[in-house]
Amino acid sequence: MPLSLYAKAQEDFLRLPLTPPDFHDGLDKVPDDDIIELATHVIAIERDALTNLHNLYRSNLAAQRNFKQAVHVIARTSRQGGRVIVSGMGKSGKIGQKFVATLNSFGIRSAFLHPTEAMHGDLGMVGLNDTVVVLTYSGRTPEILSLLSYLPASLPLVAVTSYDDAHSCPLFTGRSSSLCTLLPAPIPRTEVEAFGVPTPTSSTTTALALTDALALALAHQLHASPSAIFHHYHPGGAIGASVAPTGPQLVGSIATKVDDVPLIGNQSNPTVLDALLTAASSASGWVRPSLETIIAPRQIQRIGRRADLNQSLSSLKDAIVVEKGDWISIPAANSIQEAKNWILHMRQSSRGRTFLESGTILGIVDAQQCVSGVVEIEEIMDEDQLQQQHRRI
């Protein structure tokens, strides 16, 4: 640019106002009644969208089946040590970020992957044991479709979108139907029809409600006491204060569900290496060599330090692998202090001297009188306390 033209452009720029013009100058203000009318109209439209979503998942068998499938897929990912990778663009991305925050509050490891940042290195956060959840109302968001083309086709994919048929949904193109789960989140009226503007409102409201429902369902699927888990990961602020335990902590709240403990793949003659590999993918550290036996996390650490990797678990059975019949039953409704007092009392008597010692597994009995959870005795009693009591005995 010639210097004279540059100087003129600079002069013209300096004449510009420091603040943008007020486009509302000279326009009449919107009457207050019209403001309230518009506000209640928006609320009514979003209410109708939520009612429609509620009716869909209340009555549509396909939607119900897909929702249950999404819960089981993500729960399995979490138990195997994988993460939930959530992605969405624009306003849908904001809903996705809230979903991630809620999952993490329940100890369900999750991360938000921005579709654009993914193309610039963030793809590295995706692991082969993860499940991907995408949020896009249209189901055709270019950035999401581009992202999916770079993600392994072997990863389970859950899509929150307006589509009600997985076969016609572009998000699942080129992927195995067995790995794809559609969670429909339609709205009865488009936002253009409802408001005259295509701004995401009722569509993001339905996505928010559906992902909230998914997060809470997952928390109950994975944890015996979601409230205790939430309090553990969210101790601060008014929310932390509101969920703080008001009474004694119950044994059931610290138990690991037996059904959540992974089985060793090699059932014929499992080795120490098989146990360690299974433990590495166990969210709790517990491992089941069979349906009737279990290995506690502290014992996993013990054999990992001392045993031959090729050694058969059957040769360690008495010290490491504990039969279900040898678990010591304690009601889930007992407080931790009550359980501790009972253990101390039993250890001081002749009946408890031989079995209530370090390494004992407590079977937690639920209201249906079933042993549904397990706890290591060290989680109730301090290890120093166990050793001191053992010396007295």
Side-chain angles (χ1 to χ4, degrees), residues 81 224 261 390:
V261 178
H390 180 73

PDB file of all heavy atoms in Angstrom, residues 81 224 261 390:
ATOM      1  N   GLY A  81     -11.612 -49.455  33.370  1.00  0.00           N
ATOM      2  CA  GLY A  81     -10.579 -48.438  33.457  1.00  0.00           C
ATOM      3  C   GLY A  81     -10.566 -47.445  32.315  1.00  0.00           C
ATOM      4  O   GLY A  81      -9.653 -46.614  32.226  1.00  0.00           O
ATOM      5  N   ALA A 224     -22.874 -48.455  44.994  1.00  0.00           N
ATOM      6  CA  ALA A 224     -23.885 -48.851  45.969  1.00  0.00           C
ATOM      7  C   ALA A 224     -24.479 -47.627  46.652  1.00  0.00           C
ATOM      8  O   ALA A 224     -25.647 -47.604  47.021  1.00  0.00           O
ATOM      9  CB  ALA A 224     -23.276 -49.797  47.005  1.00  0.00           C
ATOM     10  N   VAL A 261     -17.091 -56.624  40.150  1.00  0.00           N
ATOM     11  CA  VAL A 261     -15.721 -57.151  40.185  1.00  0.00           C
ATOM     12  C   VAL A 261     -15.496 -58.018  38.944  1.00  0.00           C
ATOM     13  O   VAL A 261     -16.229 -58.982  38.718  1.00  0.00           O
ATOM     14  CB  VAL A 261     -15.480 -57.976  41.469  1.00  0.00           C
ATOM     15  CG1 VAL A 261     -14.066 -58.549  41.459  1.00  0.00           C
ATOM     16  CG2 VAL A 261     -15.704 -57.108  42.701  1.00  0.00           C
ATOM     17  N   HIS A 390      -3.807 -58.522  67.360  1.00  0.00           N
ATOM     18  CA  HIS A 390      -3.270 -59.863  67.102  1.00  0.00           C
ATOM     19  C   HIS A 390      -2.202 -60.211  68.153  1.00  0.00           C
ATOM     20  O   HIS A 390      -2.142 -61.348  68.619  1.00  0.00           O
ATOM     21  CB  HIS A 390      -2.682 -59.917  65.691  1.00  0.00           C
ATOM     22  CG  HIS A 390      -2.114 -61.253  65.337  1.00  0.00           C
ATOM     23  ND1 HIS A 390      -2.903 -62.351  65.074  1.00  0.00           N
ATOM     24  CD2 HIS A 390      -0.817 -61.679  65.220  1.00  0.00           C
ATOM     25  CE1 HIS A 390      -2.147 -63.388  64.790  1.00  0.00           C
ATOM     26  NE2 HIS A 390      -0.877 -63.005  64.877  1.00  0.00           N
TER      27      HIS A 390
END
